[in-house]
């Protein structure tokens, strides 16, 4: 009764019994303007000028009836009018309307909460409150929509202005912001917290009401500004969570989430947070599984097509999987079919979820979890070999993470590693990188030991096996039998079995000891297996150090460092291979190598910092067993370490003291290592030698000959590397102690066999030429003494009377002859370097000093004289003329040095010239000198003599190539080939006609000779010292050599050659002609394999078009079916554009008669299939295919149809190629072609050079173009001879090893051409 009385009083003047209509949420706003029986409608739209007054009345109504919600019924027309006229109202009115509505909803919420806590409402009250509730929600939702639309338009206007990056309420000029959004959402959340279902009959909230609130939340989430405010997102998530939990919105939310994920990229994270709120705060787990199942039901083909939506789905599931793992586990079975789908993004997502589950909820030991985990592991491992590289990479990344979390069972680890190791050789660099990261992580997280020395483990295993054997022998026979039978069972099963048997305590204790020992043995066996597996991996990883990918190299370095620190012996070889990378041009790789050696040898990560003695010892250890290339790399490394101050002066002093003091117990190899490291240090700081010269001489030449050689190398570093410092360097006199010490050492060891006398003598000669003032006289004296030892009976008379037809003197000591000849060659080479660099630089320096003195003297005269007389002017003019002559002094000095080298060293009156006949005699008479060492030394010495003088080179070049062809010693042939490289660089024009002889060595029977030839030609061709055209086909043939190393070198050559513009294209025609020749070419399989590799470098459309035309014309010059097959196969390797296909069609007259052959027709069919991928013109494709089929059918019939008959039958189907231009029209066509081909690529040969015309020179006809050349119209039968492959168009001036102008030689003038001069059509104006 009390409630009814209160209700009657508060209802006041509003009679709710008159409410017989219902409020229905409209589809559009205009629906509320239509009157309909039983439904609420707007009676009148308030004009704009009256809205302010009506809003004031509504606000008073809200304040007056604060405990009821009738304001929405009484003033709905006013709020609806605000919504309709929203864009025309001021911000103050909008804000007032919004705050009134929010206040009214909050008051109505309080009223409903009070009413729901008492007795139930009657039907009339339910209807009134339900209508008021729905009208209030409608007003709030519409206000949200209006404000968001206005904010979006205002935001677009603001972002177009400069400097308006900050967006707040003042910027956009509206009353709407994050605070207002949160007020409305808070009011809705409080309202939804009530049991609103009591207002409906039956008590189930209508779906339209839920959809109205939910759609408002989803639209808010589409706003990027809303996503930036965490507080607003929390309110939205809680509103949606309540709808899902209490208002049966689960299914609708799932469908809406999937739909919005498909459309928006920014909603993956917000919806994942919504799922977390539902699970954590409202305990609604089904919605997560339902959303995942909805995504899983999408067709795989659709996921593959819509990559953007797929990425959004995956991001959402990944974030949900990371926060709601138990729920995702229940739905993982629905995602499994997508592991076989087309979308690699979805496969990566599912694999990542599997990895999170294994590392999370499935990391326990329950039986059910084990089974599920094993199943998921199998699926994860299966995709290590997925067809997509991204999936392979992702699966390895997931496994790496599981290894770090120690979630991979030990029994699976070994098989898993074997599978991942195969990915180290994957074609994808990203897969290789992740495989290396996995192996490195597995090594660091291994469950066995931190020191994995295989020898120690094998020794321990052997000891423990013996212990186990002894323990088993001590047991009674019955117990031993029982133990042997149970060896294959688990240790726990063995223990249980021992406890259950009726044994005495002592026997049971022994059995337990045996079981423990058995576990130790098994552990050591696993350690050995793991270590052996890592050794195999190290071999594969070491090969990746030569990879072109920087990521492969960096990850390989990291793994080798870890393996070295774990004590794996095989890692030492990998670390040594790593040393060469110090010359890598990539800065990251270079720094990684330096840091690796600092970590391993200078400053280890673990343990105390090593002292200077330990650093010195580590540096010495790096020299043991090193090759020449590794020592050069170590020298560069030491240089970098010194520059970064990682090698302290104390460590250098330790090395110096070790060499000088020679304490007891120091081995000879340690002294040699210390000397080598000191020479590397001295290359950075030459004062180390100059300040300790006497100590080094005393200590270095009192040991073995190897130490003396290394000491000579160290002494050579005493010359400063910088040019300015080198000019101030004072050379040693002939009476210096070093000269006599080296001379005595050479004479003392000259008779000693089994020592490296050659290496010591070479370094000794270099040291004398570097440090001494008159090295030639010193070397002459040494040679005279050695000559007397070699020929004690003849002495110098042998050299004075030596002639080519004189019988060779056969000395008893062949060792003396061998060493003498080697020293002669090194002396000639050192003399060349000395004169061409040091002497020439000294002469230039002196000339520069003289010029500076003269200039300073002239400046003083000019300053001392005020007025000049006529006589003074004449004197100044004479001095200026002298100054101009000084400008050409450098050229004169260089010419003087060149003349000395040409006439006074190995020819003429020079001392070395006396040995030239001896060298020629030994080389030309190998039957008189059967010792191969003497022959080899004589050839090397003669080649070095030829490097000094071009005249001597020209006289003996025929002899050198005869030895190259006919010598039976492969070492001799290799040495000749290497020195030919230097001869070509020094005298290119003298050897230009001998290039064919060099190419001929590519077919040598010796693998070493062939590989040396390829290296030499690679260097010469890439440096433009040898013409590519003519013999390049022989190099291409090496792609199919039987030796894999030669194939690799050849591929490397063509890869580097392809980096030059059009280089491969320019030689492709020659290669095809020679390799397809039936007499001198290669087999069909070899030809096709070579062409497949070479045509990969033809990647430009213009090159393909030109090749199509050239190859078509070559069909006319073919002589057999094999050439048809080869040419058509080459055409099928090209990629076709519309232009190139049209060119192939235009030239069908060249090959139509060959289409009757089934293989030729098959190759052209391949062309059609390839062209369909790039050519869009179906008419062109159909026309080409029709003509091919027509020619094939006509030519493949009874054979009676001839060429003319087929052409007449085709009529207009075949477009004949245009006739070649006549002489009268050729110049006009050439001008037209030049004007039309402007901007096209240059396809001329790379090595072709042009000389500008000079006055008085006869002009010759230019070579034929690519379309007119004979090479395009016929196939040559044989290769061009070596004598005819010269290029006399330009004089080369080239020097070797720092040689300057003194070593340059001009070629003889070319023969005059008999061809008529060709004029350009216009006269050249004489220059002023």
């Amino acid at each position: 009764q009390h409630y009814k009385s209160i209700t009657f009083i508060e209802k006041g003047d509003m009679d709710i019994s008159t409410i017989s209509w219902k409020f229905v949420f409209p589809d559009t706003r205009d629906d509320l303007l239509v009157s309909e029986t039983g439904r609420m409608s707007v009676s009148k739209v308030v004009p704009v000028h009256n809205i302010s007054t009506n809003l004031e009345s509504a606000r008073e109504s809200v304040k007056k009836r604060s405990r009821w919600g009738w304001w929405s019924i009484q003033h709905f027309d006013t709020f609806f009018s605000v919504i309709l006229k929203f864009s025309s109202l001021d911000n103050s009115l909008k804000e007032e309307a919004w705050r009134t509505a929010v206040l009214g909803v909050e008051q109505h919420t309080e009223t409903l909460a009070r009413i729901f806590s008492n007795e139930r409402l009657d039907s009339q009250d339910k209807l009134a409150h339900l209508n008021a509730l729905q009208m209030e929600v409608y007003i709030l939702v519409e206000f949200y929509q209006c404000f968001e639309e206005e904010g979006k338009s205002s935001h677009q206007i603001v972002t177009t202005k400069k400097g308006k990056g900050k967006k707040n309420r003042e910027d956009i000029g509206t009353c709407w912001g994050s605070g207002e959004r949160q007020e409305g959402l808070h009011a809705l959340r409080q309202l939804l917290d009530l049991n609103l279902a009591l207002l409906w009959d039956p008590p189930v909230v209508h779906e339209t009401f839920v959809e109205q609130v939910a759609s408002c939340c989803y639209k808010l989430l589409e706003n990027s500004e809303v996503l930036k405010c965490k507080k607003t997102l929390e309110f939205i998530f809680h509103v949606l969570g309540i709808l899902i939990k209490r208002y049966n919105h689960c299914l609708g939310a799932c469908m809406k989430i999937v739909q919005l994920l498909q459309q928006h990229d920014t909603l993956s994270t917000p919806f994942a947070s919504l799922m977390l709120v539902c699970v954590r705060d409202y305990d609604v787990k089904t919605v997560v599984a339902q959303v995942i199942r909805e995504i899983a039901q999408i067709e795989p083909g659709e996921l593959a097509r819509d990559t953007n939506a797929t990425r959004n789905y995956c991001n959402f599931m990944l974030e949900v999987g990371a926060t709601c793992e138990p729920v995702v586990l229940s739905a993982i079975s629905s995602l499994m079919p997508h592991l076989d789908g087309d979308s690699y993004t979805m496969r990566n997502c599912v694999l990542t979820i599997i990895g999170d589950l294994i590392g999370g909820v499935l990391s326990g030991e329950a039986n059910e979890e084990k089974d599920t985990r094993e199943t998921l592991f199998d699926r994860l491992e299966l995709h290590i070999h997925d067809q997509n590289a991204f999936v392979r990479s992702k699966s390895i990344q997931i496994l790496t993470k599981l290894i770090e979390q120690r979630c991979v069972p030990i029994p699976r680890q070994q098989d898993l590693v074997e599978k991942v190791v195969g990915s180290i050789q994957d074609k994808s660099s990203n897969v290789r990188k992740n495989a290396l990261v996995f192996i490195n992580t597995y090594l660091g997280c291994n469950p066995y030991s931190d020191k994995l020395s295989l020898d120690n483990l094998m020794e321990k295993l052997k000891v423990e096996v013996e212990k186990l054997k002894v323990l088993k022998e001590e047991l009674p026979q019955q117990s031993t039998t029982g133990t042997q039978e149970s060896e294959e069972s688990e240790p726990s099963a063995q223990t249980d079995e021992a406890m259950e048997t009726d044994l005495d305590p002592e026997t049971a204790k022994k059995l337990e000891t045996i079981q423990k020992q058995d576990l130790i043995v098994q552990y050591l066996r696993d350690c050995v297996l793991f270590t052996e597996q890592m050794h195999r991996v190290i071999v594969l990883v070491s090969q990746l150090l030569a990879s072109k990918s920087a990521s492969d190299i960096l990850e390989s370095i990291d793994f080798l460092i870890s393996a070295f620190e774990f004590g794996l012996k095989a890692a030492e070889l990998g670390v040594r291979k790593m040393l060469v990378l110090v010359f890598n041009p990539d800065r990251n790789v270079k720094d990684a190598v330096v840091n690796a050696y600092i970590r391993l040898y200078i400053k280890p990560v673990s343990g105390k910092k090593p002292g200077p003695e330990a650093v010195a010892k580590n540096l010495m250890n790096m020299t043991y067993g090193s090759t020449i290339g590794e020592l050069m790399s170590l020298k560069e490394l030491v240089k970098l370490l010194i520059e970064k101050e990682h090698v302290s002066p104390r460590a250098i002093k330790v090395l110096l003291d070790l060499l000088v003091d020679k304490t007891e117990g120091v081995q000879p190899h340690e002294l040699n290592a210390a000397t080598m490291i000191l020479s590397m240090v001295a290359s950075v700081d030459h004062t180390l030698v100059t300040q300790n010269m006497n100590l080094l001489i005393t200590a270095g030449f009192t040991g073995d000959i190897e130490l003396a050689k290394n000491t000579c190398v160290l002494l050579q570093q005493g010359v400063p590397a910088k040019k300015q410092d080198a000019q101030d360097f004072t050379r040693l006199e002939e009476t210096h102690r070093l000269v006599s010490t080296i001379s005595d050492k050479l004479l003392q060891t000259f008779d000693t066999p089994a020592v490296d006398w050659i290496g010591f003598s070479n370094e000794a000669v270099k040291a004398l030429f570097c440090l001494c003032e008159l090295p030639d006289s010193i070397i002459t004296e040494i040679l005279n003494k050695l000559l007397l030892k070699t020929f004690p009976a003849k002495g110098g008379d042998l050299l004075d009377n030596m002639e080519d037809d004189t019988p060779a003197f056969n000395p008893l000591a062949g060792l003396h002859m061998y060493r003498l000849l080697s020293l002669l060659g090194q002396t000639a080479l050192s003399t060349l370097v000395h004169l061409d660099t040091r002497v020439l630089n000294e002469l230039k320096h002196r000339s520069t000093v003289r010029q500076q003195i003269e200039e300073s003297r002239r400046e003083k005269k000019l300053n001392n004289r005020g007025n000049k007389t006529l006589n003074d002017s004449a004197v100044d003019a004479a001095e200026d003329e002298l100054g101009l002559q000084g400008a050409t002094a450098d050229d004169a000095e260089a010419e003087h040095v060149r003349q000395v080298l040409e006439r006074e060293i190995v020819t003429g009156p020079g001392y070395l010239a006396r040995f030239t006949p001896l060298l020629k005699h030994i080389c030309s008479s190998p039957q008189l000198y059967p010792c191969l060492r003497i022959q080899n030394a004589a050839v090397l010495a003669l080649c070095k003599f030829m490097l000094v003088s071009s005249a001597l080179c020209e006289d003996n070049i025929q002899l050198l190539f005869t030895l190259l062809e006919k010598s039976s010693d492969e070492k001799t042939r290799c040495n000749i080939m290497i020195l030919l490289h230097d001869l070509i660089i020094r005298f290119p024009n003298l050897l230009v006609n001998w290039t064919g002889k060099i190419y001929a060595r590519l077919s040598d029977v010796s693998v070493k000779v062939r590989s040396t030839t390829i290296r030499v030609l690679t260097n010469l061709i890439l440096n433009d010292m040898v013409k590519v055209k003519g013999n390049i086909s022989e190099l291409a043939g090496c792609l199919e050599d039987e030796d894999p190393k030669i194939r690799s070198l050849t591929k490397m050559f063509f890869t580097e050659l392809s980096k030059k513009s059009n280089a491969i294209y320019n030689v492709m025609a020659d290669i095809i002609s020679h390799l397809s020749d039936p007499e001198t070419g290669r087999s069909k399989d070899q030809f096709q394999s070579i062409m497949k590799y070479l045509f990969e470098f033809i990647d430009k459309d213009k090159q393909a078009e030109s090749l199509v035309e050239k190859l078509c014309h070559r069909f006319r010059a073919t002589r057999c079916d094999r050439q048809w097959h080869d040419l058509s196969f080459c055409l099928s390797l090209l990629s076709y554009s519309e232009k190139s296909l049209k060119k192939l069609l235009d030239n069908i007259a060249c090959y139509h008669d060959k289409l009757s052959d089934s293989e030729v027709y098959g190759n052209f069919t391949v062309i059609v299939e390839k062209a369909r991928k790039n050519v869009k013109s179906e008419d062109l494709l159909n026309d080409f295919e029709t003509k091919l089929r027509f020619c094939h059918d006509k030519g493949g019939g009874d054979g009676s149809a001839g060429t003319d008959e087929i052409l007449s039958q085709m009529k207009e189907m075949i477009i004949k190629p245009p006739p070649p231009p006549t002489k009268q029209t050729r110049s006009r066509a050439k001008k037209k072609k030049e004007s039309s081909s402007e901007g096209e690529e240059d396809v001329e040969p790379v090595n072709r050079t042009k000389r500008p015309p000079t006055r008085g020179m006869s002009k010759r006809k230019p070579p034929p173009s690519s379309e007119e050349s004979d090479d395009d119209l016929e196939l040559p039968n044989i290769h061009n001879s070596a004598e005819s492959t010269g290029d006399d168009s330009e004089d080369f001036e080239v020097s070797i090893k720092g040689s300057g102008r003194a070593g340059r030689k001009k070629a003889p003038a070319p023969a005059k051409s008999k061809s008529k001069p060709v004029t350009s059509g216009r006269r050249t104006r004489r220059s002023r």
Side-chain angles (χ1 to χ4, degrees), residues 121-165:
L121 300 172
D122 57 19
S123 59
Q124 193 63 34
D125 289 341
K126 284 184 180 181
L127 180 60
H129 283 290
L130 179 60
N131 286 332
L133 172 66
Q134 294 190 119
M135 294 167 77
E136 291 165 1
V137 170
Y138 177 78
I139 291 172
L140 280 184
V141 171
E142 289 296 322
F143 270 134
Y144 267 115
Q145 183 176 355
C146 293
F147 277 120
E148 292 299 325
E149 289 178 356
E150 183 184 48
K152 184 178 179 180
S153 59
S154 301
H155 171 70
Q156 292 176 351
I157 296 173
V158 169
T159 53
T160 58
K161 300 178 182 179
K162 289 186 178 181
K164 297 291 183 179

Side-chain angles (χ1 to χ4, degrees), residues 197-420:
L198 297 175
L199 298 178
W200 275 267
D201 192 15
V204 177
V205 179
H206 200 274
E207 184 180 353
T208 56
F209 176 83
V210 178
E211 290 296 331
Q212 196 75 10
V213 178
S215 62
C216 176
C217 296
Y218 294 133
K219 285 188 177 296
L220 286 175
L221 289 175
E222 297 178 19
N223 188 352
S224 60
E225 295 299 318
V226 173
L227 299 179
K228 298 176 183 178
C229 182
K230 294 183 179 180
K231 193 69 175 177
T232 306
L233 287 175
E234 288 181 6
F235 280 113
I236 295 174
F237 295 158
H238 282 288
V239 170
L240 290 174
I242 294 172
L243 292 177
I244 294 171
K245 173 70 175 179
R246 302 178 56 184
Y247 293 91
N248 200 22
H249 183 57
C250 182
L251 182 59
C254 295
M255 299 178 64
K256 190 65 177 179
I257 288 172
V258 174
Q259 179 184 357
L260 291 178
L261 284 174
Q262 182 183 7
Q263 299 171 355
H264 300 278
D265 298 339
T266 57
L267 294 181
S268 300
T269 301
F271 280 140
S273 301
L274 172 62
M275 298 295 102
L276 179 60
V277 170
C278 291
V279 174
R280 181 189 61 198
D281 298 341
Y282 299 99
D283 196 26
V284 183
K285 300 179 181 179
T286 56
V287 65
V288 180
Q290 188 64 31
V291 173
I292 293 177
R293 291 190 182 97
E294 287 289 336
I295 296 174
Q297 291 177 2
I298 302 175
E299 290 295 329
E302 183 179 349
L303 292 174
R305 288 190 298 270
D306 193 354
T307 56
N308 193 30
T310 305
R311 184 173 60 254
N312 297 338
Y313 297 146
C314 293
N315 292 337
F316 166 77
M317 289 193 294
L318 290 176
E319 296 197 30
V320 171
T323 55
C324 307
E325 292 179 356
V327 184
V328 176
L329 180 60
S330 63
I332 190 65
S333 59
S334 62
L335 293 174
M336 285 301 183
H338 285 287
L339 288 176
D340 301 324
D342 298 333
S343 174
Y344 74 88
T345 307
M346 182 60 72
R347 295 205 298 276
N348 282 343
C349 173
V350 177
L351 291 174
T352 305
I353 293 174
I354 290 175
D356 293 339
L357 294 176
I358 293 174
V361 296
L362 296 178
S363 58
E365 295 298 329
N367 292 331
E368 296 181 358
E369 292 180 354
K370 282 185 178 180
D371 296 339
T372 307
R373 182 177 60 197
E374 292 300 317
T375 302
L376 295 180
F377 255 122
D378 293 339
R379 296 304 301 268
L380 185 58
E381 291 180 8
L382 186 63
H383 288 273
I384 294 176
H385 305 294
D386 195 279
Q387 63 181 356
N388 188 278
F390 293 108
V391 181
R392 298 197 299 271
S393 178
K394 175 60 71 173
S395 61
I396 296 174
Q397 288 178 7
I398 296 168
L399 291 169
T400 304
K401 184 179 178 181
L402 293 176
I403 287 288
E404 289 178 345
Q405 297 174 350
R406 302 186 184 276
C407 295
V408 181
I410 293 179
R412 298 188 70 102
Q413 288 183 4
Q414 198 165 19
D415 294 336
L416 177 61
V417 171
E418 289 295 336
K419 293 179 181 178
V420 177

Side-chain angles (χ1 to χ4, degrees), residues 860-869 872-873 875-876:
K860 288 180 181 179
K861 289 182 179 180
L862 291 175
N863 294 332
N864 292 334
R865 288 200 304 263
N867 299 322
K868 293 184 180 180
T869 62
D872 293 335
S873 300
V875 172
D876 292 342

Side-chain angles (χ1 to χ4, degrees), residues 3 26 43 182 186 235 346 381 392 401 490 493 608 738 763 786 891 1109 1144 1264 1267 1295:
Y3 169 72
S43 60
Q182 294 169 18
H186 180 65
F235 280 113
M346 182 60 72
E381 291 180 8
R392 298 197 299 271
K401 184 179 178 181
E490 295 293 331
K608 62 180 182 179
L738 175 64
E763 298 301 332
L786 296 179
D891 294 336
E1109 188 170 6
L1144 185 64
E1267 290 81 2
S1295 59

Side-chain angles (χ1 to χ4, degrees), residues 17 22 399 465 475 503 528 651 662 713 752 765 1152 1157 1163 1302:
S17 61
K22 293 182 179 180
L399 291 169
V465 169
L475 282 178
L503 298 174
V528 169
K662 294 183 180 178
V713 176
T752 307
V765 171
H1152 71 90
D1157 187 274
N1163 289 329

